[in-house]
Amino acid sequence: MPVTAAKEPAADQIVSRYLAKANRSGGRHAACSQSRDTEHGPALPVRGLARCCVTMLRDVDYVLQKLDWMRAEGIWPNGLRYLWTDAFGVVLYVSLCTETGEQRWLDEAERLVADVERVLGRRRGLRIGEAADRDGQYFHYLAMWLFALARLGDLKPEYRKRGIALARDIHPAFVVPGRGVIWKMQEDLSSPYPGYRLGSMDAYDGDVAKRFAELEKWARKNLPVGDVVGRWCNEDYDTADRIPYAGEPDPKMGSSATRRS
């Protein structure tokens, strides 16, 4: 039975928003409605392919080649744990399982979740990354991890329950009622990370993403457009050495480069 928002505690409200977003992302496509055996063993009949992976998985062989290359280079999934990247990895494995019907991808997703929780898990929440300079907890990284657990929860409901428990744990630390969300917290969630207070970029990013989706919908309805050939976004403009890029394009480096300030 639905519960009205007025009666929900704050943590339950944010859990509902996370899961509503996840449900909207996976609701348009269905795959693997029929079971089939593969060279890797019995197929797994599953549904609910996450929409964000449908286009990419039209060429499964290409995806598998890239996975093999990343593993051979020690980049992922056998590199250092990093919550943001690993969240996308869980969604990828779930999508591969759904697209191919192979049980091995569901097993990989569960192994990845277990390893992330082992390495990055804290009493409340998850650390940003395994490397020494990836301490603290990011709200938007945790939100992406909750999305990944929701997608995995489409196949194994216990992971959705774990996501709900995680959201309830972290919500009181990050959310300042009536004011906003703290972008980054200390690793134990005791206080904001030094130099970080209330953030606004996550909310703006979400609004921009929504507006782009609305624009695409309008364009498809009113204009003779084809498929989307690419998407790009940027979280910040920090460089590896913290020296910013600024100024006009450097002609010696090509149109995509800029002079260092």
Side-chain angles (χ1 to χ4, degrees), residues 30-242:
C32 287
S33 57
Q34 296 181 347
S35 175
R36 63 183 186 276
D37 290 340
T38 72
E39 60 179 313
H40 301 285
L44 182 71
V46 290
R47 293 177 173 83
L49 177 60
R51 183 168 59 196
C52 62
C53 292
V54 170
T55 302
M56 176 273 296
L57 285 177
R58 287 175 181 168
D59 190 350
V60 175
D61 289 339
Y62 174 81
V63 175
L64 298 181
Q65 289 171 12
K66 288 296 183 181
L67 278 174
D68 289 342
W69 175 81
M70 286 193 294
R71 188 182 293 274
E73 295 293 323
I75 298 171
W76 190 88
N78 51 337
L80 295 177
R81 296 272 63 88
Y82 191 63
L83 189 60
W84 183 262
T85 306
D86 289 332
F88 280 98
V90 171
V91 175
L92 173 63
Y93 283 149
V94 170
S95 300
L96 284 169
C97 174
T98 306
E99 182 73 9
T100 67
E102 295 176 7
Q103 171 72 36
R104 62 171 175 148
W105 298 117
L106 179 58
D107 294 341
E108 290 286 353
E110 292 195 88
R111 275 194 288 270
L112 179 56
V113 169
D115 200 41
V116 167
E117 292 179 342
R118 177 185 64 82
V119 176
L120 304 181
R122 298 299 182 260
R123 188 179 68 83
R124 288 191 301 160
L126 297 105
R127 177 185 164 99
I128 292 169
E130 185 175 356
D133 62 345
R134 301 300 182 182
D135 57 327
Q137 296 195 38
Y138 275 142
F139 182 80
H140 57 305
Y141 279 33
L142 290 162
M144 184 57 68
W145 185 248
L146 290 171
F147 174 82
L149 291 178
R151 293 276 62 82
L152 184 53
D154 289 341
L155 308 185
K156 303 196 75 170
E158 61 265 31
Y159 287 97
R160 183 173 290 260
K161 294 178 181 178
R162 284 159 70 168
I164 291 172
L166 174 60
R168 287 175 173 159
D169 275 346
I170 66 173
H171 177 77
F174 280 95
V175 177
V176 181
R179 295 197 59 196
V181 177
I182 298 171
W183 183 31
K184 185 177 182 180
M185 293 287 292
Q186 297 274 20
E187 197 161 311
D188 61 0
L189 300 184
S190 60
S191 60
Y193 198 87
Y196 292 82
R197 295 293 173 181
L198 291 174
S200 59
M201 288 305 296
D202 294 336
Y204 282 123
D205 286 347
D207 185 60
V208 169
K210 177 175 179 292
R211 290 173 185 270
F212 271 121
E214 291 172 346
L215 176 62
E216 182 181 342
K217 182 179 179 180
W218 181 91
R220 291 191 181 284
K221 181 180 178 180
N222 296 281
L223 300 171
V225 298
D227 292 335
V228 175
V229 297
R231 290 184 172 91
W232 179 87
C233 68
N234 190 50
E235 200 171 301
D236 55 50
Y237 292 97
D238 285 349
T239 58
D241 57 8
R242 301 298 183 183

